[in-house]
Amino acid sequence: DRVKKHAEMLSKEQIQQTTHCRMVYKFMEQRRESFFRSIPDTMDASLFDSNTEAFLTKCIYSRCLLSPEDAMYCARFVNMLQRIDAPRFFILQYMDRLLKVIVAALFCVTEQEVGNLGVLLHETWMTLSGWRYESIKYQNEVKRKERSHIDNPKEETTHESYAILYNTWHTSLKSALIGCLKSAEYIHQRSALTVLTAIVRIYPTRPQDGESILEHLKPLQDDSLRPDIRAMASACAAQLLKARDDGVWKELDQRALKQIMIAEQAKKDEIMKERQQRAADMAKESEDYTRKYGTDSKLWSGRRTGQNRSPLNPSAQNYSPASSLDQQQRPRDPRGDPRHRSGENRERDGSIRHTVNAPIDSRRISGSGGDQHWDRNDGRVAISLSGSTVTAAPAAAAMGRIPANSRAL
């Protein structure tokens, strides 16, 4: 019930927002004559250029750097101006100036600002790419508008001329991205990777530029000093390859794409064979080592074979590493204090007793009760420092397992 209620609320809100957007669009279309009323309707090339730069500087660029939402709004607002055919608004010249500004800004903005520019560039390039590869769309949205000029107001831009202009923009953006990737500055490399990640599904569309970008991403994928750059470069390269295979590189011939994919698959198969060969060599080497020296159980089965000797007491019969001892067989502090494992306990009389993790096999303990023989493979030595007297005994004796008067050596 709660899900149905929220679904109904969202449907009603969608209807309200759609109605509101239509009203705003209708209002903007009615007021379009007044948007650039202060700009003289002249064919002077100098004024023609300065008007576009003023709009870009004061209205678009200063706001798009604030947040991703503002960047999206700026891109959509420009698209709306183009759809309603606002007088004295020159869309192609605006696009040309905008891309020049973005290319220069990649070297002098912060990481957050370059992310916002990536949003603006994504929306802008989506429009430019649509006009480049769909001549009918260009004719309807640009050529039939009031002014489709670049630098000369007296000349309209045909689709063939626009294709040349698009290639110029494409190469300029590629050069800026490669320049950032090759730069020794950390922020330049991160800026390029951030922008590439934002536009990878629509740029590049030319295969030669795409291959060049992939080639300059390879050194960053091996950067061991900066793992964040290495991760971003690897992710960006993977996305570029996926975009190429999905047809984003629109000028790439299908036959050439098929040959590239076959070559890459052959390279992957070769790498897989090398890995399998290395694994087989390692397995063979392990078998040879086991056949020559035996298994680990044979090396450390001193209790069964009687061949191992204690490194601290070579005269002992058997030796087992301390790590293999049963934890329950080790002596415990009767007071529940686990500090005897760290090597130090303070006795009640103020003396310090040190417990050494050294296995012993046999030790003769003498005292008033007569000679006693202590023979354990898992014993530990307890050293008691009291005044000038130094005594040593197995830890079990120190813990009270044998009479206290038999603790002195």
Side-chain angles (χ1 to χ4, degrees):
D1 294 337
R2 186 178 62 180
V3 175
K4 292 182 179 180
K5 183 178 179 180
H6 283 290
E8 293 177 358
M9 293 176 58
L10 291 175
S11 299
K12 292 180 181 179
E13 184 178 358
Q14 182 183 9
I15 295 174
Q16 294 175 359
Q17 293 292 341
T18 303
T19 303
H20 175 72
C21 289
R22 290 176 180 174
M23 293 177 60
V24 172
Y25 184 82
K26 185 177 181 180
F27 173 80
M28 298 289 288
E29 193 173 14
Q30 292 173 352
R31 299 289 301 272
R32 67 188 182 93
E33 295 290 340
S34 62
F35 290 159
F36 302 96
R37 184 171 51 188
S38 60
I39 300 177
D41 190 6
T42 179
M43 303 300 287
D44 188 356
S46 60
L47 293 176
F48 177 81
D49 185 65
S50 61
N51 294 337
T52 302
E53 291 184 354
F55 171 72
L56 174 61
T57 303
K58 299 182 180 298
C59 299
I60 301 299
Y61 185 75
S62 58
R63 180 169 181 177
C64 72
L65 297 177
L66 299 178
S67 68
E69 292 79 10
D70 289 305
M72 179 71 72
Y73 176 83
C74 291
R76 297 293 177 86
F77 182 78
V78 170
N79 290 338
M80 184 204 64
L81 292 178
Q82 174 62 18
R83 287 196 303 270
I84 65 178
D85 195 12
R88 294 175 291 278
F89 177 66
F90 314 101
I91 183 63
L92 292 183
Q93 191 185 52
Y94 162 81
M95 294 294 186
D96 182 65
R97 301 300 185 268
L98 174 64
L99 290 172
K100 291 180 179 179
V101 168
I102 292 177
V103 164
L106 290 178
F107 295 88
C108 57
V109 293
T110 64
E111 184 177 353
Q112 181 180 1
E113 291 173 344
V114 80
N116 301 335
L117 284 179
V119 175
L120 177 65
L121 183 59
H122 179 274
E123 295 297 319
T124 302
W125 200 268
M126 187 181 300
T127 301
L128 297 178
S129 180
W131 292 345
R132 165 62 180 87
Y133 298 104
E134 298 180 22
S135 59
I136 297 178
K137 186 176 182 179
Y138 176 82
Q139 294 291 337
N140 294 333
E141 297 182 4
V142 180
K143 188 67 165 45
R144 295 175 58 182
K145 300 300 180 180
E146 182 178 355
R147 291 186 178 130
S148 58
H149 320 297
I150 297 297
D151 293 321
N152 189 355
K154 299 180 180 180
E155 295 182 1
E156 293 186 351
T157 305
T158 62
H159 187 261
E160 290 75 13
S161 301
Y162 174 75
I164 298 175
L165 182 62
Y166 175 86
N167 294 339
T168 303
W169 295 336
H170 199 285
T171 304
S172 176
L173 182 57
K174 182 260 301 185
S175 300
L177 292 174
I178 291 178
C180 289
L181 293 176
K182 294 171 61 177
S183 174
E185 295 292 335
Y186 170 82
I187 189 61
H188 292 168
Q189 296 178 355
R190 194 168 181 88
S191 297
L193 293 172
T194 302
V195 171
L196 273 175
T197 303
I199 63 176
V200 68
R201 298 303 304 176
I202 58 173
Y203 178 93
T205 58
R206 305 181 68 195
Q208 57 271 30
D209 292 344
E211 293 293 343
S212 180
I213 293 175
L214 282 173
E215 189 66 24
H216 286 85
L217 283 174
K218 291 181 180 179
L220 299 182
Q221 298 179 52
D222 301 328
D223 191 348
S224 59
L225 300 179
R226 293 173 294 183
D228 57 333
I229 294 293
R230 182 177 68 248
M232 291 182 66
S234 300
C236 190
Q239 294 181 55
L240 279 172
L241 292 175
K242 187 178 185 305
R244 182 201 63 188
D245 298 340
D246 292 343
V248 177
W249 297 10
K250 298 182 183 298
E251 298 185 23
L252 181 61
D253 184 65
Q254 293 298 322
R255 183 178 301 176
L257 176 60
K258 186 176 180 179
Q259 293 178 355
I260 293 175
M261 295 179 66
I262 292 174
E264 290 182 351
Q265 186 62 37
K267 187 176 180 180
K268 291 179 180 179
D269 294 341
E270 183 179 356
I271 294 175
M272 183 61 66
K273 289 181 180 179
E274 292 180 356
R275 292 178 178 176
Q276 293 176 355
Q277 184 63 34
R278 285 198 299 268
D281 294 342
M282 292 175 63
K284 183 179 180 181
E285 183 179 356
S286 177
E287 292 177 359
D288 295 341
Y289 185 87
T290 302
R291 189 181 304 108
K292 183 177 181 180
Y293 298 103
T295 60
D296 293 341
S297 60
K298 293 181 180 179
L299 287 174
W300 297 105
S301 59
R303 293 180 182 271
R304 297 191 298 272
T305 62
Q307 296 177 357
N308 297 319
R309 295 292 182 264
S310 169
L312 300 179
N313 188 5
S315 63
Q317 296 182 359
N318 296 325
Y319 166 66
S320 297
S323 60
S324 64
L325 298 177
D326 187 5
Q327 297 294 335
Q328 297 180 358
Q329 295 179 1
R330 292 184 177 180
R332 298 179 180 271
D333 192 337
R335 293 168 294 183
D337 188 354
R339 289 178 298 169
H340 68 284
R341 300 175 184 174
S342 63
E344 178 177 326
N345 273 328
R346 185 174 295 277
E347 297 290 345
R348 293 181 180 179
D349 59 355
S351 63
I352 298 176
R353 177 171 52 79
H354 289 267
T355 302
V356 182
N357 293 328
I360 65 172
D361 299 286
S362 63
R363 183 175 295 276
R364 184 165 299 279
I365 303 173
S366 62
S368 59
D371 293 341
Q372 298 188 23
H373 187 268
W374 185 262
D375 187 5
R376 288 183 61 87
N377 290 344
D378 58 345
R380 303 197 308 176
V381 178
I383 304 175
S384 177
L385 304 178
S386 178
S388 59
T389 304
V390 180
T391 60
M399 295 302 174
R401 292 191 178 184
I402 64 175
N405 56 5
S406 299
R407 293 172 64 177
L409 291 177

